mmCIF file of all heavy atoms in Angstrom:
data_model
loop_
_atom_site.group_PDB
_atom_site.id
_atom_site.type_symbol
_atom_site.label_atom_id
_atom_site.label_comp_id
_atom_site.label_asym_id
_atom_site.label_seq_id
_atom_site.Cartn_x
_atom_site.Cartn_y
_atom_site.Cartn_z
ATOM 1 N N PRO A 318 -13.336 22.757 -0.894
ATOM 2 C CA PRO A 318 -12.866 22.794 0.485
ATOM 3 C C PRO A 318 -13.186 24.089 1.209
ATOM 4 O O PRO A 318 -13.078 24.168 2.434
ATOM 5 C CB PRO A 318 -11.351 22.617 0.345
ATOM 6 C CG PRO A 318 -11.047 23.093 -1.045
ATOM 7 C CD PRO A 318 -12.229 22.790 -1.884
ATOM 8 N N ASN A 319 -13.598 25.132 0.449
ATOM 9 C CA ASN A 319 -13.970 26.403 1.099
ATOM 10 C C ASN A 319 -15.403 26.372 1.604
ATOM 11 O O ASN A 319 -15.804 27.237 2.357
ATOM 12 C CB ASN A 319 -13.829 27.562 0.082
ATOM 13 C CG ASN A 319 -12.382 27.723 -0.362
ATOM 14 O OD1 ASN A 319 -11.484 27.852 0.462
ATOM 15 N ND2 ASN A 319 -12.163 27.694 -1.666
ATOM 16 N N ASN A 320 -16.207 25.382 1.176
ATOM 17 C CA ASN A 320 -17.560 25.248 1.608
ATOM 18 C C ASN A 320 -17.893 23.764 1.636
ATOM 19 O O ASN A 320 -18.180 23.181 0.574
ATOM 20 C CB ASN A 320 -18.525 25.984 0.703
ATOM 21 C CG ASN A 320 -19.960 25.950 1.156
ATOM 22 O OD1 ASN A 320 -20.260 25.373 2.214
ATOM 23 N ND2 ASN A 320 -20.862 26.537 0.406
ATOM 24 N N LEU A 321 -17.848 23.139 2.811
ATOM 25 C CA LEU A 321 -18.056 21.706 2.925
ATOM 26 C C LEU A 321 -19.508 21.271 3.084
ATOM 27 O O LEU A 321 -19.798 20.159 3.440
ATOM 28 C CB LEU A 321 -17.233 21.192 4.128
ATOM 29 C CG LEU A 321 -15.733 21.438 4.067
ATOM 30 C CD1 LEU A 321 -15.080 20.945 5.333
ATOM 31 C CD2 LEU A 321 -15.119 20.738 2.843
ATOM 32 N N THR A 322 -20.446 22.203 2.797
ATOM 33 C CA THR A 322 -21.865 21.902 2.994
ATOM 34 C C THR A 322 -22.262 20.677 2.176
ATOM 35 O O THR A 322 -22.975 19.788 2.668
ATOM 36 C CB THR A 322 -22.710 23.122 2.623
ATOM 37 O OG1 THR A 322 -22.285 24.249 3.342
ATOM 38 C CG2 THR A 322 -24.171 22.804 2.878
ATOM 39 N N ASN A 323 -21.840 20.623 0.929
ATOM 40 C CA ASN A 323 -22.215 19.521 0.040
ATOM 41 C C ASN A 323 -21.087 18.521 -0.193
ATOM 42 O O ASN A 323 -21.119 17.776 -1.169
ATOM 43 C CB ASN A 323 -22.675 20.076 -1.315
ATOM 44 C CG ASN A 323 -23.915 20.952 -1.208
ATOM 45 O OD1 ASN A 323 -24.846 20.646 -0.443
ATOM 46 N ND2 ASN A 323 -23.913 22.075 -1.901
ATOM 47 N N ALA A 324 -20.114 18.510 0.711
ATOM 48 C CA ALA A 324 -18.970 17.628 0.573
ATOM 49 C C ALA A 324 -19.265 16.312 1.238
ATOM 50 O O ALA A 324 -18.842 16.071 2.399
ATOM 51 C CB ALA A 324 -17.705 18.314 1.114
ATOM 52 N N ALA A 325 -19.991 15.431 0.569
ATOM 53 C CA ALA A 325 -20.303 14.113 1.113
ATOM 54 C C ALA A 325 -18.989 13.306 1.260
ATOM 55 O O ALA A 325 -18.011 13.552 0.540
ATOM 56 C CB ALA A 325 -21.266 13.400 0.217
ATOM 57 N N PRO A 326 -18.983 12.334 2.182
ATOM 58 C CA PRO A 326 -17.759 11.538 2.394
ATOM 59 C C PRO A 326 -17.219 10.883 1.143
ATOM 60 O O PRO A 326 -16.000 10.846 0.946
ATOM 61 C CB PRO A 326 -18.197 10.492 3.414
ATOM 62 C CG PRO A 326 -19.298 11.143 4.161
ATOM 63 C CD PRO A 326 -20.037 11.998 3.170
ATOM 64 N N HIS A 327 -18.087 10.447 0.229
ATOM 65 C CA HIS A 327 -17.564 9.782 -0.969
ATOM 66 C C HIS A 327 -16.877 10.770 -1.905
ATOM 67 O O HIS A 327 -16.048 10.401 -2.747
ATOM 68 C CB HIS A 327 -18.693 9.022 -1.700
ATOM 69 C CG HIS A 327 -19.656 9.971 -2.427
ATOM 70 N ND1 HIS A 327 -20.703 10.570 -1.814
ATOM 71 C CD2 HIS A 327 -19.716 10.340 -3.711
ATOM 72 C CE1 HIS A 327 -21.375 11.293 -2.698
ATOM 73 N NE2 HIS A 327 -20.783 11.177 -3.841
ATOM 74 N N LYS A 328 -17.203 12.051 -1.803
ATOM 75 C CA LYS A 328 -16.575 13.054 -2.596
ATOM 76 C C LYS A 328 -15.181 13.472 -2.029
ATOM 77 O O LYS A 328 -14.324 13.889 -2.765
ATOM 78 C CB LYS A 328 -17.438 14.312 -2.709
ATOM 79 C CG LYS A 328 -18.705 14.108 -3.515
ATOM 80 C CD LYS A 328 -19.474 15.409 -3.634
ATOM 81 C CE LYS A 328 -20.743 15.246 -4.480
ATOM 82 N NZ LYS A 328 -21.494 16.510 -4.624
ATOM 83 N N ARG A 329 -15.071 13.329 -0.723
ATOM 84 C CA ARG A 329 -13.823 13.747 -0.082
ATOM 85 C C ARG A 329 -12.732 12.702 -0.166
ATOM 86 O O ARG A 329 -11.559 12.976 0.159
ATOM 87 C CB ARG A 329 -14.063 14.117 1.398
ATOM 88 C CG ARG A 329 -15.077 15.214 1.592
ATOM 89 C CD ARG A 329 -14.897 15.829 2.970
ATOM 90 N NE ARG A 329 -15.033 14.871 4.041
ATOM 91 C CZ ARG A 329 -16.156 14.705 4.731
ATOM 92 N NH1 ARG A 329 -17.226 15.411 4.442
ATOM 93 N NH2 ARG A 329 -16.207 13.825 5.735
ATOM 94 N N ARG A 330 -13.057 11.469 -0.592
ATOM 95 C CA ARG A 330 -12.074 10.385 -0.613
ATOM 96 C C ARG A 330 -11.059 10.600 -1.755
ATOM 97 O O ARG A 330 -11.478 10.822 -2.873
ATOM 98 C CB ARG A 330 -12.751 9.048 -0.782
ATOM 99 C CG ARG A 330 -11.852 7.883 -0.568
ATOM 100 C CD ARG A 330 -12.645 6.586 -0.387
ATOM 101 N NE ARG A 330 -13.196 6.081 -1.641
ATOM 102 C CZ ARG A 330 -14.510 6.033 -1.906
ATOM 103 N NH1 ARG A 330 -15.372 6.458 -0.986
ATOM 104 N NH2 ARG A 330 -14.935 5.564 -3.047
ATOM 105 N N ASN A 331 -9.799 10.497 -1.423
ATOM 106 C CA ASN A 331 -8.734 10.628 -2.440
ATOM 107 C C ASN A 331 -8.591 9.287 -3.157
ATOM 108 O O ASN A 331 -7.735 8.461 -2.810
ATOM 109 C CB ASN A 331 -7.421 11.051 -1.799
ATOM 110 C CG ASN A 331 -6.391 11.410 -2.838
ATOM 111 O OD1 ASN A 331 -6.559 11.175 -4.015
ATOM 112 N ND2 ASN A 331 -5.232 11.955 -2.381
ATOM 113 N N ARG A 332 -9.395 9.074 -4.151
ATOM 114 C CA ARG A 332 -9.473 7.764 -4.812
ATOM 115 C C ARG A 332 -8.163 7.321 -5.452
ATOM 116 O O ARG A 332 -7.947 6.125 -5.661
ATOM 117 C CB ARG A 332 -10.609 7.799 -5.875
ATOM 118 C CG ARG A 332 -11.980 8.094 -5.292
ATOM 119 C CD ARG A 332 -13.024 8.269 -6.356
ATOM 120 N NE ARG A 332 -14.325 8.689 -5.801
ATOM 121 C CZ ARG A 332 -15.244 7.799 -5.404
ATOM 122 N NH1 ARG A 332 -15.015 6.493 -5.459
ATOM 123 N NH2 ARG A 332 -16.399 8.240 -4.907
ATOM 124 N N ALA A 333 -7.345 8.278 -5.830
ATOM 125 C CA ALA A 333 -6.106 7.899 -6.513
ATOM 126 C C ALA A 333 -5.161 7.072 -5.607
ATOM 127 O O ALA A 333 -4.344 6.334 -6.126
ATOM 128 C CB ALA A 333 -5.389 9.188 -6.944
ATOM 129 N N ILE A 334 -5.310 7.203 -4.300
ATOM 130 C CA ILE A 334 -4.464 6.456 -3.395
ATOM 131 C C ILE A 334 -5.244 5.438 -2.526
ATOM 132 O O ILE A 334 -4.633 4.558 -1.906
ATOM 133 C CB ILE A 334 -3.646 7.394 -2.441
ATOM 134 C CG1 ILE A 334 -4.592 8.200 -1.584
ATOM 135 C CG2 ILE A 334 -2.717 8.282 -3.242
ATOM 136 C CD1 ILE A 334 -3.903 9.012 -0.520
ATOM 137 N N THR A 335 -6.575 5.538 -2.526
ATOM 138 C CA THR A 335 -7.352 4.668 -1.618
ATOM 139 C C THR A 335 -8.065 3.544 -2.388
ATOM 140 O O THR A 335 -8.151 2.417 -1.893
ATOM 141 C CB THR A 335 -8.369 5.461 -0.822
ATOM 142 O OG1 THR A 335 -9.282 6.098 -1.755
ATOM 143 C CG2 THR A 335 -7.667 6.530 0.037
ATOM 144 N N ASP A 336 -8.648 3.869 -3.532
ATOM 145 C CA ASP A 336 -9.514 2.884 -4.250
ATOM 146 C C ASP A 336 -8.638 1.885 -4.989
ATOM 147 O O ASP A 336 -7.686 2.271 -5.710
ATOM 148 C CB ASP A 336 -10.459 3.587 -5.187
ATOM 149 C CG ASP A 336 -11.552 4.333 -4.413
ATOM 150 O OD1 ASP A 336 -11.394 4.497 -3.158
ATOM 151 O OD2 ASP A 336 -12.547 4.732 -5.034
ATOM 152 N N LEU A 337 -9.020 0.628 -4.920
ATOM 153 C CA LEU A 337 -8.252 -0.448 -5.600
ATOM 154 C C LEU A 337 -9.070 -1.124 -6.670
ATOM 155 O O LEU A 337 -10.263 -1.391 -6.487
ATOM 156 C CB LEU A 337 -7.815 -1.489 -4.542
ATOM 157 C CG LEU A 337 -7.002 -1.015 -3.341
ATOM 158 C CD1 LEU A 337 -6.725 -2.165 -2.413
ATOM 159 C CD2 LEU A 337 -5.703 -0.397 -3.841
ATOM 160 N N PHE A 338 -8.394 -1.418 -7.788
ATOM 161 C CA PHE A 338 -9.064 -2.112 -8.878
ATOM 162 C C PHE A 338 -8.041 -3.047 -9.532
ATOM 163 O O PHE A 338 -6.838 -2.803 -9.461
ATOM 164 C CB PHE A 338 -9.567 -1.117 -9.971
ATOM 165 C CG PHE A 338 -10.537 -0.086 -9.425
ATOM 166 C CD1 PHE A 338 -10.128 1.175 -9.115
ATOM 167 C CD2 PHE A 338 -11.866 -0.419 -9.209
ATOM 168 C CE1 PHE A 338 -11.012 2.126 -8.639
ATOM 169 C CE2 PHE A 338 -12.777 0.507 -8.736
ATOM 170 C CZ PHE A 338 -12.320 1.772 -8.420
ATOM 171 N N GLU A 339 -8.547 -4.086 -10.194
ATOM 172 C CA GLU A 339 -7.637 -4.937 -10.958
ATOM 173 C C GLU A 339 -7.295 -4.142 -12.240
ATOM 174 O O GLU A 339 -8.156 -3.650 -12.939
ATOM 175 C CB GLU A 339 -8.344 -6.244 -11.300
ATOM 176 C CG GLU A 339 -8.519 -7.106 -10.068
ATOM 177 C CD GLU A 339 -9.309 -8.383 -10.295
ATOM 178 O OE1 GLU A 339 -10.460 -8.278 -10.723
ATOM 179 O OE2 GLU A 339 -8.768 -9.493 -10.069
ATOM 180 N N PRO A 340 -6.016 -4.019 -12.528
ATOM 181 C CA PRO A 340 -5.564 -3.079 -13.542
ATOM 182 C C PRO A 340 -5.752 -3.555 -14.985
ATOM 183 O O PRO A 340 -5.511 -2.806 -15.909
ATOM 184 C CB PRO A 340 -4.078 -2.923 -13.240
ATOM 185 C CG PRO A 340 -3.684 -4.172 -12.592
ATOM 186 C CD PRO A 340 -4.859 -4.630 -11.815
ATOM 187 N N GLY A 341 -6.117 -4.822 -15.183
ATOM 188 C CA GLY A 341 -6.365 -5.303 -16.545
ATOM 189 C C GLY A 341 -5.114 -5.244 -17.413
ATOM 190 O O GLY A 341 -3.979 -5.445 -16.955
ATOM 191 N N SER A 342 -5.333 -4.914 -18.692
ATOM 192 C CA SER A 342 -4.293 -5.047 -19.680
ATOM 193 C C SER A 342 -3.155 -4.047 -19.526
ATOM 194 O O SER A 342 -2.134 -4.115 -20.224
ATOM 195 C CB SER A 342 -4.890 -4.873 -21.093
ATOM 196 O OG SER A 342 -5.815 -5.913 -21.340
ATOM 197 N N THR A 343 -3.284 -3.058 -18.602
ATOM 198 C CA THR A 343 -2.218 -2.095 -18.425
ATOM 199 C C THR A 343 -0.938 -2.747 -17.863
ATOM 200 O O THR A 343 0.137 -2.142 -17.930
ATOM 201 C CB THR A 343 -2.641 -0.971 -17.449
ATOM 202 O OG1 THR A 343 -3.083 -1.539 -16.236
ATOM 203 C CG2 THR A 343 -3.742 -0.124 -18.084
ATOM 204 N N VAL A 344 -1.029 -3.991 -17.341
ATOM 205 C CA VAL A 344 0.185 -4.645 -16.808
ATOM 206 C C VAL A 344 0.753 -5.620 -17.840
ATOM 207 O O VAL A 344 1.813 -6.243 -17.522
ATOM 208 C CB VAL A 344 -0.123 -5.391 -15.493
ATOM 209 C CG1 VAL A 344 -0.665 -4.452 -14.436
ATOM 210 C CG2 VAL A 344 -1.094 -6.517 -15.712
#
Side-chain angles (χ1 to χ4, degrees):
N319 297 307
N320 183 3
L321 300 177
T322 305
N323 298 319
H327 74 277
K328 292 183 178 181
R329 300 201 303 262
R330 191 166 73 247
N331 189 351
R332 300 173 184 272
I334 60 173
T335 61
D336 289 13
L337 303 178
F338 303 100
E339 290 175 301
S342 298
T343 55
V344 302

